Amino acid sequence: GQQLNQSPQSMFIQEGEDVSMNCTSSSIFNTWLWYKQDPGEGPVLLIALYKAGELTSNGRLTAQFGITRKDSFLNISASIPSDVGIYFCAGQLRLRSGGGADGLTFGKGTHLIIQP
Amino acid sequence: EPEVTQTPSHQVTQMGQEVILRCVPISNHLYFYWYRQILGQKVEFLVSFYNNEISEKSEIFDDQFSVERPDGSNFTLKIRSTKLEDSAMYFCAEGGLRSPLHFGNGTRLTVT
């Protein structure tokens, strides 16, 4: 199956710094999604990308769908303490002709830690 | 924003027992999914469900797993004979044709 390489695995930053993380794949995806997961909770959607080259912002978050459809990045500007958590990228290959949908393939996550 | 509701939040069971995990989707989306996350690891796809039947399943979703939408609203995942390695967080998710997946808060399954 598809594999996603997400990096970095963890980041230790100071409050106020900008953050950048990315995912790469050996195969193409039609959709890229970025989620944040807090301990004991389910992943919460941050940004969804549907078109190669698309650049989308959600407040201090910006994500891009790579032109090759094999990569995506997420940037967080001016980090704040509540940004702490695990960030996952996820790719979806296609919608099936019969109407069903492929499941998401998740990266292993980037653990963001903000130092006071 | 409305939530996908999962019950129970934590289930402890003995090896070999059957468990049923429940999900109540909150909208008229067409696609429903189950995912699992072993502690400290990434989220893994189990199965997708569309038009009241399985659309796709991963190699994790073997014969001991089954899904149902028994009454048109609840969406269940049954594990027939649990194994120790089934211990994980199980997440239900829903989405539309072009809308992204929204996840519930999960059920923590502990098999002893």
Side-chain angles (χ1 to χ4, degrees):
Chain A
Q2 297 95 15
Q3 297 262 350
L4 287 187
N5 296 310
Q6 185 171 351
S7 64
Q9 189 174 12
S10 58
M11 299 184 75
F12 295 80
I13 63 165
Q14 302 281 344
E15 183 179 347
E17 284 186 25
D18 296 343
V19 172
S20 185
M21 60 191 80
N22 69 84
C23 273
T24 59
S25 169
S26 56
S27 52
I28 62 172
F29 287 104
N30 291 336
T31 302
W32 282 94
L33 304 165
W34 285 92
Y35 289 88
K36 178 175 184 269
Q37 186 177 31
D38 291 327
E41 297 185 12
V44 174
L45 180 70
L46 299 174
I47 292 181
L49 302 159
Y50 296 106
K51 217 160 88 166
E54 181 181 354
L55 182 73
T56 297
S57 292
N58 178 9
R60 293 179 296 106
L61 278 60
T62 302
Q64 184 158 32
F65 190 147
I67 287 288
T68 64
R69 293 163 67 193
K70 292 184 179 181
D71 62 298
S72 177
F73 71 73
L74 174 71
N75 289 339
I76 305 173
S77 62
S79 58
I80 60 178
S82 61
D83 291 335
V84 165
I86 302 177
Y87 292 79
F88 289 98
C89 63
Q92 186 177 41
L93 179 58
R94 60 185 168 88
L95 296 176
R96 290 170 174 260
S97 58
D102 287 355
L104 299 179
T105 300
F106 278 81
K108 291 186 177 179
T110 294
H111 194 175
L112 181 61
I113 299 159
I114 298 179
Q115 296 170 324
Chain B
E1 187 173 317
E3 293 181 358
V4 176
T5 305
Q6 287 188 243
T7 57
S9 57
H10 190 189
Q11 173 95 44
V12 182
T13 189
Q14 289 190 323
M15 197 166 54
Q17 295 295 304
E18 174 183 286
V19 294
I20 297 176
L21 311 182
R22 292 184 168 81
C23 172
V24 181
I26 44 82
S27 68
N28 58 356
H29 284 148
L30 298 176
Y31 302 91
F32 303 98
Y33 305 81
W34 283 101
Y35 288 78
R36 80 168 186 193
Q37 186 179 32
I38 294 170
L39 185 65
Q41 298 188 23
K42 67 178 182 179
V43 179
E44 299 174 292
F45 169 71
L46 292 178
V47 64
S48 62
F49 193 80
Y50 168 74
N51 204 24
N52 289 325
E53 57 184 36
I54 289 175
S55 174
E56 187 196 7
K57 55 186 180 180
S58 72
E59 56 196 25
I60 303 169
F61 193 88
D62 61 22
D63 290 345
Q64 69 163 342
F65 290 93
S66 61
V67 289
E68 275 191 340
R69 201 164 180 221
D71 55 9
S73 59
N74 294 302
F75 181 47
T76 63
L77 174 70
K78 183 191 292 185
I79 310 175
R80 255 180 282 282
S81 177
T82 50
K83 305 191 286 271
L84 293 176
E85 54 265 37
D86 293 328
S87 294
M89 285 288 289
Y90 287 82
F91 294 106
C92 168
E94 62 169 3
L97 192 65
R98 285 282 285 180
S99 61
L101 270 62
H102 291 274
F103 286 79
N105 268 346
T107 293
R108 178 175 299 283
L109 177 65
T110 303
V111 182
T112 62

